[in-house]
Amino acid sequence: MARYPQGWRIRLPPNRSVYTVYFTHNGRRVDRSTGCSDPEQAAKEAARIYADFVQREPPKRRIVRRGDSPALPELVELWLTSDTTIDPSTVDTWTVYGGHWSERWETLVGISESTAEQYRNDRLRTVMATTVRKELSALRRFLRWCRMHGYLQREVVVPGVPSSATGKRFGARRRSSAPELTPQQATSIIAALPEWSTSRKVAVFPIRARFVVAYETGLRPGTLDAISVPEHYQHGSDRLALTDDVDKVRWGREVPLSELARKALDAVCPEEGPIFGRHDYREHLDAAARSVLPKALADRFCGAHFRSASITHLLERTGNLAAAQYLAGHRQPKTTAEYVRPSYRAAAEAIRVTRDSIVYRRKRRA
């Protein structure tokens, strides 16, 4: 019985300097040279080779009888590893969704329009409607893949979520909502961070500069992890040139830099490669926050909250919603509004400015 594409892998053969790509397709093993000695370039070439091979020789369709249907977790894993059009950052999320589906259905045989509707209704009693919509969207794509590859012999219509449905907020938040921070608190936390890491277990990486840039630009943590030289920044530049692949909503754009952000980048950017990379900053952030914030606030604080503080403080200073929306990378202004933290401090400042600028005078009759 033929096997289906299981995704490609690269390896460096013994005593060789060039990586090869290998995968299984239509029941046979395929092994090709990438012609690259650099692993990143080899991975890009491997993806091209794999896509070209599958396009020239589409997977054979198979007939799956009722008793032969593979276990659902196996199919979900096969789908996520073989469908190279799925963004790598999405795979982790959809793996979680697949776990929910596998708890409900052992195989594809149990998935029907009625059971999918029941799944939707049960999930709405547990999580918010927006989450259920994302899960059902992924389920539709998974079922289309199963149908195309012969694992599913019938069309399954997955119902949507009514616009009036709200769902239920998850009992325990995985991450606390961003607290309201003053500009002084935000900058003091950053100042309390060490400039560089000190652990001997990993290579040294910059800490303070990363959060200076985070607060000055309001960019997403994932984007900051991914920016590199020379693709997105060059020493002395006054802007970041973001590409679609480093932005969550695939919005490539130029982001202007403040003088503080530019100096922070210039102080740590390498000649080539990632500027910050992905690291665990929790220990350093916790120590810095506890040295500045009251205990109740420090217990809730995490590095991602600099994004909310940046957007809030920018709007307080300028009132320019379009600028805040652009810097944050939000397609819709309502998304930007969700990051804003209202406060008595901001309201009092607005009243003070208004009181100082307006004079009430009685107009006399002529």
Side-chain angles (χ1 to χ4, degrees), residues 322-359:
Q325 180 183 341
Y326 180 87
L327 287 170
H330 293 150
R331 296 287 190 182
Q332 301 295 330
K334 65 179 181 180
T335 308
T336 307
E338 292 176 359
Y339 281 78
V340 177
R341 292 295 175 264
S343 65
Y344 175 86
R345 171 188 56 79
E349 177 62 17
I351 292 296
R352 185 192 66 79
V353 172
T354 303
R355 184 178 61 239
D356 293 345
S357 61
I358 297 179
V359 177

mmCIF file of all heavy atoms in Angstrom, residues 322-359:
data_model
loop_
_atom_site.group_PDB
_atom_site.id
_atom_site.type_symbol
_atom_site.label_atom_id
_atom_site.label_comp_id
_atom_site.label_asym_id
_atom_site.label_seq_id
_atom_site.Cartn_x
_atom_site.Cartn_y
_atom_site.Cartn_z
ATOM 1 N N ALA A 322 -3.683 56.611 13.873
ATOM 2 C CA ALA A 322 -3.130 56.018 12.651
ATOM 3 C C ALA A 322 -1.672 55.618 12.844
ATOM 4 O O ALA A 322 -1.232 54.562 12.377
ATOM 5 C CB ALA A 322 -3.264 57.003 11.489
ATOM 6 N N ALA A 323 -0.906 56.465 13.549
ATOM 7 C CA ALA A 323 0.504 56.161 13.793
ATOM 8 C C ALA A 323 0.649 54.942 14.700
ATOM 9 O O ALA A 323 1.461 54.049 14.438
ATOM 10 C CB ALA A 323 1.200 57.366 14.417
ATOM 11 N N ALA A 324 -0.143 54.898 15.771
ATOM 12 C CA ALA A 324 -0.075 53.764 16.696
ATOM 13 C C ALA A 324 -0.480 52.471 15.999
ATOM 14 O O ALA A 324 0.135 51.417 16.202
ATOM 15 C CB ALA A 324 -0.975 54.022 17.900
ATOM 16 N N GLN A 325 -1.495 52.537 15.164
ATOM 17 C CA GLN A 325 -1.961 51.361 14.432
ATOM 18 C C GLN A 325 -0.886 50.861 13.476
ATOM 19 O O GLN A 325 -0.642 49.653 13.365
ATOM 20 C CB GLN A 325 -3.231 51.722 13.662
ATOM 21 C CG GLN A 325 -3.830 50.580 12.862
ATOM 22 C CD GLN A 325 -5.043 51.031 12.063
ATOM 23 O OE1 GLN A 325 -5.640 52.061 12.350
ATOM 24 N NE2 GLN A 325 -5.402 50.265 11.047
ATOM 25 N N TYR A 326 -0.220 51.771 12.796
ATOM 26 C CA TYR A 326 0.829 51.400 11.841
ATOM 27 C C TYR A 326 2.019 50.760 12.545
ATOM 28 O O TYR A 326 2.522 49.708 12.131
ATOM 29 C CB TYR A 326 1.267 52.639 11.067
ATOM 30 C CG TYR A 326 2.356 52.376 10.053
ATOM 31 C CD1 TYR A 326 2.041 51.976 8.763
ATOM 32 C CD2 TYR A 326 3.697 52.532 10.393
ATOM 33 C CE1 TYR A 326 3.036 51.733 7.828
ATOM 34 C CE2 TYR A 326 4.703 52.292 9.464
ATOM 35 C CZ TYR A 326 4.369 51.895 8.183
ATOM 36 O OH TYR A 326 5.365 51.647 7.271
ATOM 37 N N LEU A 327 2.490 51.391 13.617
ATOM 38 C CA LEU A 327 3.642 50.856 14.337
ATOM 39 C C LEU A 327 3.337 49.473 14.911
ATOM 40 O O LEU A 327 4.176 48.564 14.859
ATOM 41 C CB LEU A 327 4.043 51.806 15.463
ATOM 42 C CG LEU A 327 4.721 53.111 15.035
ATOM 43 C CD1 LEU A 327 4.834 54.064 16.217
ATOM 44 C CD2 LEU A 327 6.103 52.833 14.449
ATOM 45 N N ALA A 328 2.138 49.308 15.457
ATOM 46 C CA ALA A 328 1.771 48.033 16.072
ATOM 47 C C ALA A 328 1.529 46.941 15.039
ATOM 48 O O ALA A 328 1.565 45.756 15.366
ATOM 49 C CB ALA A 328 0.524 48.217 16.935
ATOM 50 N N GLY A 329 1.271 47.330 13.788
ATOM 51 C CA GLY A 329 1.013 46.337 12.751
ATOM 52 C C GLY A 329 -0.397 45.796 12.792
ATOM 53 O O GLY A 329 -0.626 44.618 12.529
ATOM 54 N N HIS A 330 -1.358 46.663 13.114
ATOM 55 C CA HIS A 330 -2.763 46.255 13.178
ATOM 56 C C HIS A 330 -3.489 46.695 11.914
ATOM 57 O O HIS A 330 -3.436 47.865 11.545
ATOM 58 C CB HIS A 330 -3.454 46.881 14.395
ATOM 59 C CG HIS A 330 -2.936 46.370 15.700
ATOM 60 N ND1 HIS A 330 -2.917 47.139 16.851
ATOM 61 C CD2 HIS A 330 -2.412 45.163 16.040
ATOM 62 C CE1 HIS A 330 -2.407 46.423 17.839
ATOM 63 N NE2 HIS A 330 -2.093 45.232 17.376
ATOM 64 N N ARG A 331 -4.194 45.776 11.291
ATOM 65 C CA ARG A 331 -4.975 46.116 10.104
ATOM 66 C C ARG A 331 -6.215 46.927 10.463
ATOM 67 O O ARG A 331 -6.684 47.737 9.666
ATOM 68 C CB ARG A 331 -5.401 44.834 9.384
ATOM 69 C CG ARG A 331 -4.247 44.000 8.835
ATOM 70 C CD ARG A 331 -3.620 44.638 7.630
ATOM 71 N NE ARG A 331 -2.688 43.739 6.963
ATOM 72 C CZ ARG A 331 -1.975 44.057 5.894
ATOM 73 N NH1 ARG A 331 -2.082 45.263 5.367
ATOM 74 N NH2 ARG A 331 -1.147 43.186 5.350
ATOM 75 N N GLN A 332 -6.754 46.691 11.661
ATOM 76 C CA GLN A 332 -7.987 47.351 12.073
ATOM 77 C C GLN A 332 -7.742 48.211 13.312
ATOM 78 O O GLN A 332 -7.062 47.766 14.246
ATOM 79 C CB GLN A 332 -9.073 46.313 12.378
ATOM 80 C CG GLN A 332 -9.422 45.395 11.220
ATOM 81 C CD GLN A 332 -10.038 46.149 10.056
ATOM 82 O OE1 GLN A 332 -10.698 47.174 10.255
ATOM 83 N NE2 GLN A 332 -9.827 45.650 8.843
ATOM 84 N N PRO A 333 -8.296 49.416 13.354
ATOM 85 C CA PRO A 333 -8.096 50.274 14.536
ATOM 86 C C PRO A 333 -8.693 49.690 15.807
ATOM 87 O O PRO A 333 -8.211 49.969 16.901
ATOM 88 C CB PRO A 333 -8.788 51.586 14.139
ATOM 89 C CG PRO A 333 -9.720 51.227 13.024
ATOM 90 C CD PRO A 333 -9.074 50.091 12.303
ATOM 91 N N LYS A 334 -9.733 48.865 15.678
ATOM 92 C CA LYS A 334 -10.335 48.281 16.882
ATOM 93 C C LYS A 334 -9.355 47.343 17.584
ATOM 94 O O LYS A 334 -9.428 47.172 18.805
ATOM 95 C CB LYS A 334 -11.626 47.542 16.532
ATOM 96 C CG LYS A 334 -11.452 46.321 15.644
ATOM 97 C CD LYS A 334 -12.791 45.650 15.375
ATOM 98 C CE LYS A 334 -12.620 44.403 14.512
ATOM 99 N NZ LYS A 334 -13.926 43.739 14.238
ATOM 100 N N THR A 335 -8.435 46.738 16.821
ATOM 101 C CA THR A 335 -7.414 45.889 17.442
ATOM 102 C C THR A 335 -6.467 46.738 18.276
ATOM 103 O O THR A 335 -6.090 46.364 19.391
ATOM 104 C CB THR A 335 -6.621 45.128 16.369
ATOM 105 O OG1 THR A 335 -7.526 44.451 15.499
ATOM 106 C CG2 THR A 335 -5.685 44.113 17.010
ATOM 107 N N THR A 336 -6.082 47.894 17.748
ATOM 108 C CA THR A 336 -5.216 48.804 18.500
ATOM 109 C C THR A 336 -5.894 49.239 19.791
ATOM 110 O O THR A 336 -5.252 49.319 20.848
ATOM 111 C CB THR A 336 -4.875 50.035 17.642
ATOM 112 O OG1 THR A 336 -4.354 49.606 16.379
ATOM 113 C CG2 THR A 336 -3.852 50.918 18.329
ATOM 114 N N ALA A 337 -7.192 49.497 19.714
ATOM 115 C CA ALA A 337 -7.932 49.952 20.896
ATOM 116 C C ALA A 337 -7.907 48.914 22.012
ATOM 117 O O ALA A 337 -7.939 49.266 23.197
ATOM 118 C CB ALA A 337 -9.374 50.280 20.511
ATOM 119 N N GLU A 338 -7.833 47.634 21.658
ATOM 120 C CA GLU A 338 -7.823 46.586 22.674
ATOM 121 C C GLU A 338 -6.537 46.604 23.503
ATOM 122 O O GLU A 338 -6.500 46.049 24.603
ATOM 123 C CB GLU A 338 -7.997 45.221 22.008
ATOM 124 C CG GLU A 338 -9.376 45.022 21.386
ATOM 125 C CD GLU A 338 -9.492 43.705 20.641
ATOM 126 O OE1 GLU A 338 -8.473 42.968 20.600
ATOM 127 O OE2 GLU A 338 -10.566 43.410 20.105
ATOM 128 N N TYR A 339 -5.482 47.214 22.976
ATOM 129 C CA TYR A 339 -4.209 47.272 23.697
ATOM 130 C C TYR A 339 -4.112 48.481 24.627
ATOM 131 O O TYR A 339 -3.219 48.549 25.461
ATOM 132 C CB TYR A 339 -3.045 47.317 22.697
ATOM 133 C CG TYR A 339 -2.693 45.970 22.113
ATOM 134 C CD1 TYR A 339 -3.462 45.410 21.105
ATOM 135 C CD2 TYR A 339 -1.597 45.255 22.580
ATOM 136 C CE1 TYR A 339 -3.151 44.172 20.568
ATOM 137 C CE2 TYR A 339 -1.273 44.016 22.053
ATOM 138 C CZ TYR A 339 -2.057 43.482 21.048
ATOM 139 O OH TYR A 339 -1.746 42.250 20.526
ATOM 140 N N VAL A 340 -4.993 49.443 24.446
ATOM 141 C CA VAL A 340 -4.920 50.674 25.230
ATOM 142 C C VAL A 340 -5.426 50.430 26.647
ATOM 143 O O VAL A 340 -6.465 49.797 26.846
ATOM 144 C CB VAL A 340 -5.736 51.795 24.555
ATOM 145 C CG1 VAL A 340 -5.720 53.058 25.406
ATOM 146 C CG2 VAL A 340 -5.190 52.077 23.165
ATOM 147 N N ARG A 341 -4.686 50.948 27.635
ATOM 148 C CA ARG A 341 -5.068 50.804 29.033
ATOM 149 C C ARG A 341 -5.481 52.169 29.586
ATOM 150 O O ARG A 341 -4.639 53.046 29.795
ATOM 151 C CB ARG A 341 -3.908 50.231 29.856
ATOM 152 C CG ARG A 341 -3.573 48.788 29.504
ATOM 153 C CD ARG A 341 -4.737 47.881 29.863
ATOM 154 N NE ARG A 341 -4.527 46.505 29.439
ATOM 155 C CZ ARG A 341 -4.980 45.994 28.308
ATOM 156 N NH1 ARG A 341 -5.655 46.762 27.459
ATOM 157 N NH2 ARG A 341 -4.782 44.728 28.010
ATOM 158 N N PRO A 342 -6.794 52.391 29.803
ATOM 159 C CA PRO A 342 -7.247 53.668 30.365
ATOM 160 C C PRO A 342 -6.805 53.792 31.818
ATOM 161 O O PRO A 342 -6.609 52.794 32.508
ATOM 162 C CB PRO A 342 -8.772 53.577 30.249
ATOM 163 C CG PRO A 342 -9.067 52.111 30.243
ATOM 164 C CD PRO A 342 -7.900 51.458 29.557
ATOM 165 N N SER A 343 -6.638 55.020 32.285
ATOM 166 C CA SER A 343 -6.171 55.211 33.660
ATOM 167 C C SER A 343 -6.609 56.569 34.193
ATOM 168 O O SER A 343 -6.864 57.512 33.427
ATOM 169 C CB SER A 343 -4.640 55.115 33.722
ATOM 170 O OG SER A 343 -4.046 56.175 32.991
ATOM 171 N N TYR A 344 -6.687 56.666 35.514
ATOM 172 C CA TYR A 344 -6.970 57.941 36.167
ATOM 173 C C TYR A 344 -5.866 58.941 35.845
ATOM 174 O O TYR A 344 -6.125 60.132 35.641
ATOM 175 C CB TYR A 344 -7.072 57.743 37.679
ATOM 176 C CG TYR A 344 -7.254 59.041 38.442
ATOM 177 C CD1 TYR A 344 -8.516 59.589 38.627
ATOM 178 C CD2 TYR A 344 -6.147 59.724 38.951
ATOM 179 C CE1 TYR A 344 -8.680 60.788 39.305
ATOM 180 C CE2 TYR A 344 -6.296 60.918 39.629
ATOM 181 C CZ TYR A 344 -7.565 61.449 39.807
ATOM 182 O OH TYR A 344 -7.714 62.631 40.473
ATOM 183 N N ARG A 345 -4.622 58.459 35.800
ATOM 184 C CA ARG A 345 -3.487 59.330 35.510
ATOM 185 C C ARG A 345 -3.668 60.038 34.170
ATOM 186 O O ARG A 345 -3.488 61.260 34.066
ATOM 187 C CB ARG A 345 -2.204 58.487 35.484
ATOM 188 C CG ARG A 345 -0.971 59.226 34.986
ATOM 189 C CD ARG A 345 0.191 58.261 34.807
ATOM 190 N NE ARG A 345 -0.152 57.159 33.925
ATOM 191 C CZ ARG A 345 -0.178 57.245 32.599
ATOM 192 N NH1 ARG A 345 0.095 58.411 32.000
ATOM 193 N NH2 ARG A 345 -0.493 56.202 31.863
ATOM 194 N N ALA A 346 -4.048 59.284 33.141
ATOM 195 C CA ALA A 346 -4.233 59.873 31.815
ATOM 196 C C ALA A 346 -5.418 60.834 31.803
ATOM 197 O O ALA A 346 -5.367 61.901 31.170
ATOM 198 C CB ALA A 346 -4.437 58.769 30.781
ATOM 199 N N ALA A 347 -6.490 60.453 32.502
ATOM 200 C CA ALA A 347 -7.664 61.322 32.550
ATOM 201 C C ALA A 347 -7.350 62.635 33.255
ATOM 202 O O ALA A 347 -7.756 63.721 32.811
ATOM 203 C CB ALA A 347 -8.809 60.600 33.256
ATOM 204 N N ALA A 348 -6.606 62.562 34.374
ATOM 205 C CA ALA A 348 -6.254 63.768 35.114
ATOM 206 C C ALA A 348 -5.373 64.689 34.279
ATOM 207 O O ALA A 348 -5.523 65.919 34.308
ATOM 208 C CB ALA A 348 -5.543 63.386 36.413
ATOM 209 N N GLU A 349 -4.453 64.101 33.505
ATOM 210 C CA GLU A 349 -3.587 64.911 32.651
ATOM 211 C C GLU A 349 -4.399 65.594 31.554
ATOM 212 O O GLU A 349 -4.159 66.760 31.219
ATOM 213 C CB GLU A 349 -2.502 64.027 32.033
ATOM 214 C CG GLU A 349 -1.577 64.731 31.057
ATOM 215 C CD GLU A 349 -0.769 65.850 31.695
ATOM 216 O OE1 GLU A 349 -0.665 65.891 32.948
ATOM 217 O OE2 GLU A 349 -0.240 66.695 30.951
ATOM 218 N N ALA A 350 -5.374 64.872 30.997
ATOM 219 C CA ALA A 350 -6.221 65.468 29.957
ATOM 220 C C ALA A 350 -7.031 66.629 30.514
ATOM 221 O O ALA A 350 -7.184 67.675 29.863
ATOM 222 C CB ALA A 350 -7.145 64.402 29.372
ATOM 223 N N ILE A 351 -7.546 66.476 31.741
ATOM 224 C CA ILE A 351 -8.306 67.555 32.375
ATOM 225 C C ILE A 351 -7.406 68.755 32.644
ATOM 226 O O ILE A 351 -7.793 69.914 32.447
ATOM 227 C CB ILE A 351 -8.951 67.052 33.681
ATOM 228 C CG1 ILE A 351 -10.054 66.031 33.373
ATOM 229 C CG2 ILE A 351 -9.502 68.211 34.499
ATOM 230 C CD1 ILE A 351 -11.215 66.601 32.593
ATOM 231 N N ARG A 352 -6.175 68.484 33.080
ATOM 232 C CA ARG A 352 -5.246 69.581 33.373
ATOM 233 C C ARG A 352 -4.946 70.391 32.120
ATOM 234 O O ARG A 352 -4.978 71.622 32.134
ATOM 235 C CB ARG A 352 -3.949 69.028 33.954
ATOM 236 C CG ARG A 352 -2.962 70.115 34.398
ATOM 237 C CD ARG A 352 -1.598 69.535 34.694
ATOM 238 N NE ARG A 352 -0.971 69.007 33.495
ATOM 239 C CZ ARG A 352 -0.371 69.777 32.573
ATOM 240 N NH1 ARG A 352 -0.354 71.102 32.707
ATOM 241 N NH2 ARG A 352 0.188 69.229 31.515
ATOM 242 N N VAL A 353 -4.669 69.691 31.014
ATOM 243 C CA VAL A 353 -4.366 70.383 29.762
ATOM 244 C C VAL A 353 -5.569 71.182 29.291
ATOM 245 O O VAL A 353 -5.450 72.328 28.843
ATOM 246 C CB VAL A 353 -3.931 69.364 28.687
ATOM 247 C CG1 VAL A 353 -3.797 70.051 27.333
ATOM 248 C CG2 VAL A 353 -2.625 68.705 29.084
ATOM 249 N N THR A 354 -6.751 70.585 29.411
ATOM 250 C CA THR A 354 -7.971 71.276 28.981
ATOM 251 C C THR A 354 -8.239 72.503 29.838
ATOM 252 O O THR A 354 -8.583 73.582 29.336
ATOM 253 C CB THR A 354 -9.171 70.321 29.055
ATOM 254 O OG1 THR A 354 -8.909 69.174 28.254
ATOM 255 C CG2 THR A 354 -10.430 70.999 28.551
ATOM 256 N N ARG A 355 -8.058 72.358 31.152
ATOM 257 C CA ARG A 355 -8.322 73.474 32.070
ATOM 258 C C ARG A 355 -7.375 74.635 31.808
ATOM 259 O O ARG A 355 -7.753 75.802 31.875
ATOM 260 C CB ARG A 355 -8.169 72.991 33.515
ATOM 261 C CG ARG A 355 -8.507 74.060 34.551
ATOM 262 C CD ARG A 355 -8.401 73.523 35.964
ATOM 263 N NE ARG A 355 -7.055 73.068 36.262
ATOM 264 C CZ ARG A 355 -6.752 71.828 36.618
ATOM 265 N NH1 ARG A 355 -7.700 70.910 36.699
ATOM 266 N NH2 ARG A 355 -5.503 71.477 36.874
ATOM 267 N N ASP A 356 -6.126 74.320 31.485
ATOM 268 C CA ASP A 356 -5.145 75.379 31.260
ATOM 269 C C ASP A 356 -5.319 76.077 29.919
ATOM 270 O O ASP A 356 -4.804 77.176 29.713
ATOM 271 C CB ASP A 356 -3.727 74.798 31.342
ATOM 272 C CG ASP A 356 -3.390 74.327 32.754
ATOM 273 O OD1 ASP A 356 -4.130 74.702 33.685
ATOM 274 O OD2 ASP A 356 -2.406 73.575 32.908
ATOM 275 N N SER A 357 -6.030 75.433 28.993
ATOM 276 C CA SER A 357 -6.125 76.001 27.645
ATOM 277 C C SER A 357 -7.471 76.650 27.348
ATOM 278 O O SER A 357 -7.620 77.327 26.341
ATOM 279 C CB SER A 357 -5.864 74.904 26.599
ATOM 280 O OG SER A 357 -6.829 73.874 26.716
ATOM 281 N N ILE A 358 -8.457 76.441 28.211
ATOM 282 C CA ILE A 358 -9.795 76.989 27.961
ATOM 283 C C ILE A 358 -10.127 78.029 29.027
ATOM 284 O O ILE A 358 -9.938 77.795 30.220
ATOM 285 C CB ILE A 358 -10.862 75.876 27.963
ATOM 286 C CG1 ILE A 358 -10.597 74.891 26.813
ATOM 287 C CG2 ILE A 358 -12.257 76.467 27.846
ATOM 288 C CD1 ILE A 358 -11.583 73.752 26.763
ATOM 289 N N VAL A 359 -10.614 79.159 28.582
ATOM 290 C CA VAL A 359 -11.038 80.226 29.497
ATOM 291 C C VAL A 359 -12.505 80.520 29.227
ATOM 292 O O VAL A 359 -12.901 80.776 28.083
ATOM 293 C CB VAL A 359 -10.198 81.505 29.297
ATOM 294 C CG1 VAL A 359 -10.711 82.611 30.208
ATOM 295 C CG2 VAL A 359 -8.725 81.217 29.560
#
